[in-house]
Amino acid sequence: MEVIFGENALEGVYAWAIPLHATVILAEMVYSSIHKAQLYSKKDLFTNIYLALMNFGLDLIMKAFAMAVMFFFYQNRIFDFNINTWWYWLGCFMMTDLAYYFHHLVDHRSRLFWAVHITHHNSEYFNLTTGFRSPVFQPLYRYMFFSPLAFLGFNPWSIMVCYAVGQVYGTLVHTQTVKKMGVLEYFMVTPSHHRVHHGCNVKYLDRNMGMVFIIWDKIFGTFEA
């Protein structure tokens, strides 16, 4: 069971995420072309790809160190959870999303971390590839926000799998083609919520920080409709 929930599971997430992203991005490009919405530009598209590759490369370099730090905390964990239960995975997914919320909040509130994160916000376009416009140096410190979860008792590989699944969803909300999503607007981060996050209006600055669940923003006072 350790192999199923280990690095192989993380690679499995990436394996199905790549064709999913390629399909929806192509569909959005076709939509933009048909409706003359001008959602894409070649220069912006290639910039997004370049930043994504730079981020991914540094992530590979940092992987061994980051996992070593997280496993250090896991070896000194305060709770022992049964990894083969649904509530373990639900709890891990929720806690990972909460950890990302604080990670994202610090990125916006700290000048140092904002200097890294700003690349994700400096495009004049907002489309699905904007989700890949990655802060290049983020892998240097991202693991610090997830290490407390390992200390609580969540396996670091489980944390990374949950984070990867959340990232897949978080990429898909970077779109103007989906307006409202009904009841999901109450508790999920939706494209309409995330468009607010990328807005430059003063009332929208540093709002809607969540990646999967908007409930964290509502609890901690960073939500804006």
Side-chain angles (χ1 to χ4, degrees):
M1 297 301 289
E2 287 298 322
V3 175
I4 295 175
F5 295 124
E7 188 172 7
N8 286 8
L10 188 60
E11 293 174 353
V13 173
Y14 292 135
W16 62 260
I18 292 173
L20 171 64
H21 285 141
T23 301
V24 294
I25 288 170
L26 180 60
E28 187 178 61
M29 287 180 171
V30 171
Y31 171 91
S32 178
S33 178
I34 292 174
H35 294 274
K36 296 180 171 56
Q38 298 182 328
L39 299 177
Y40 285 84
S41 80
K42 289 183 180 179
K43 181 179 179 180
D44 186 76
L45 174 62
F46 286 120
T47 298
N48 294 343
I49 294 173
Y50 168 73
L51 291 172
L53 291 175
M54 291 289 287
N55 174 273
F56 183 70
L58 183 57
D59 205 16
L60 288 178
I61 294 172
M62 286 294 298
K63 184 177 180 181
F65 178 77
M67 294 305 294
V69 171
M70 293 177 66
F71 268 105
F72 169 79
F73 284 100
Y74 183 65
Q75 289 168 356
N76 295 278
R77 60 190 179 275
I78 56 178
F79 298 112
D80 277 305
F81 299 127
N82 183 353
I83 197 172
N84 298 312
T85 60
W86 66 267
W87 59 263
Y88 168 85
W89 285 97
L90 177 62
C92 187
F93 189 77
M94 294 288 290
M95 293 298 291
T96 300
D97 197 57
L98 177 60
Y100 172 81
Y101 169 85
F102 286 114
H103 172 12
H104 199 181
L105 187 66
V106 170
D107 278 347
H108 277 252
R109 298 288 176 84
S110 164
R111 289 187 179 185
L112 174 62
F113 292 120
W114 175 248
V116 175
H117 186 68
I118 193 173
T119 55
H120 183 64
H121 286 266
N122 63 8
S123 173
E124 294 182 3
Y125 292 83
F126 188 75
N127 55 58
L128 287 167
T129 66
T130 307
F132 293 98
R133 196 181 185 91
S134 306
V136 173
F137 296 108
Q138 196 178 75
L140 293 176
Y141 61 88
R142 182 178 59 205
Y143 58 90
M144 295 189 300
F145 292 90
F146 297 115
S147 292
L149 304 187
F151 183 60
L152 281 176
F154 293 104
N155 186 292
W157 286 118
S158 302
I159 297 168
M160 288 297 97
V161 167
C162 290
Y163 176 66
V165 172
Q167 274 193 311
V168 172
Y169 179 82
T171 300
L172 297 178
V173 299
H174 291 81
T175 182
Q176 299 180 55
T177 60
V178 177
K179 303 309 177 185
K180 292 284 188 176
M181 296 182 67
V183 68
L184 295 181
E185 298 283 336
Y186 291 103
F187 63 95
M188 299 285 290
V189 172
T190 63
S192 63
H193 291 322
H194 205 63
R195 285 192 291 272
V196 165
H197 178 70
H198 278 261
C200 59
N201 316 55
V202 174
K203 67 178 292 188
Y204 295 150
L205 297 181
D206 302 336
R207 298 294 177 175
N208 298 359
M209 300 288 184
M211 181 158 61
V212 177
F213 299 107
I214 200 67
I215 56 175
W216 313 125
D217 290 281
K218 293 183 176 182
I219 292 172
F220 297 109
T222 52
F223 175 73
E224 185 67 47

